[in-house]
Amino acid sequence: MPPLTAGQKFKVVARSSFDYVEFPWYGFLAGVSQAENSEPGYGQGAQGYGKRYGAAFADGTIENFWTSAILPSLLHQDPRFFQDGKGGFWHRTGYAVSRIFVTRTDSGNSQFNYSEIVGSAMAAGISTYAYHPHADKTLSNTASVWATQVGYDTITIVVKEFWPDIRRKLHKDKSQPQP
């Protein structure tokens, strides 16, 4: 695959940040946060949920730009996930999880994924200290936001590894005879 230009990296992130699937995802995350009353400074009720939804959306968008556009452009890293698609479940899962730590450079070599690890940390710091409730502007909360973002990115990559297989099974033509 040819490398993406910096402009292409930004376009991909901008388009995916406002993809229709993102809106219910951030709604789900806000609901979990509301149920756990994490960052209680947001409050409860519709107003608290709205604040959590906005924060989740902003957190995710800031993180996506840092990990998939800004740092990959500066560090010449490729933010795309390339599916392995072969081997057993554990092999493929291990490969997908390793992509959090190892990425391709624009020239096709393997490299530590600074864009993901450092970019997530930078995004967590920016969002925590910019608009999270005052009582939650702490290093421990920043670390928690960072770990959560890296965790969600790991889950997303594992889903991307298996999604073509899941999709094939879901869309199998039922009129064809089954072996």
Side-chain angles (χ1 to χ4, degrees):
M1 297 285 295
L4 297 174
T5 66
Q8 289 171 322
K9 291 172 185 177
F10 277 88
K11 285 178 186 173
V12 167
V13 173
R15 189 173 49 242
S16 67
S17 292
F18 300 99
D19 187 68
Y20 70 92
V21 75
E22 297 296 332
F23 296 95
W25 171 245
Y26 292 125
F28 170 76
L29 294 179
V32 169
S33 179
Q34 181 94 346
E36 293 176 344
N37 198 27
S38 65
E39 299 185 303
Y42 285 131
Q44 285 293 316
Q47 187 176 27
Y49 177 81
K51 290 176 182 177
R52 285 182 173 88
Y53 183 90
F57 203 102
D59 288 357
T61 303
I62 292 167
E63 195 250 356
N64 287 338
F65 271 94
W66 276 102
T67 62
S68 298
I70 299 168
L71 287 181
S73 295
L74 294 173
L75 301 173
H76 303 286
Q77 293 187 325
D78 193 331
R80 296 174 289 185
F81 171 72
F82 295 93
Q83 180 190 26
D84 187 12
K86 58 187 182 299
F89 174 80
W90 291 113
H91 168 79
R92 290 176 66 190
T93 300
Y95 166 78
V97 169
S98 75
R99 299 302 94 184
I100 288 294
F101 303 102
V102 179
T103 193
R104 287 173 42 155
T105 63
D106 286 341
S107 61
N109 298 317
S110 293
Q111 185 179 72
F112 180 76
N113 197 348
Y114 295 103
S115 297
E116 173 65 36
I117 303 304
V118 175
S120 293
M122 292 173 73
I126 291 167
S127 64
T128 299
Y129 289 96
Y131 53 82
H132 283 239
H134 183 70
D136 296 310
K137 293 180 180 185
T138 64
L139 185 57
S140 65
N141 189 52
T142 303
S144 176
V145 170
W146 172 74
T148 301
Q149 288 176 333
V150 171
Y152 287 145
D153 287 350
T154 303
I155 292 166
T156 300
I157 288 175
V158 171
V159 169
K160 286 179 181 179
E161 173 65 29
F162 291 101
W163 185 248
D165 304 319
I166 295 166
R167 187 179 170 122
R168 265 191 303 278
K169 289 192 185 294
L170 292 174
H171 294 294
K172 190 180 282 186
D173 187 358
K174 305 290 189 226
S175 65
Q176 296 295 321
Q178 301 299 315

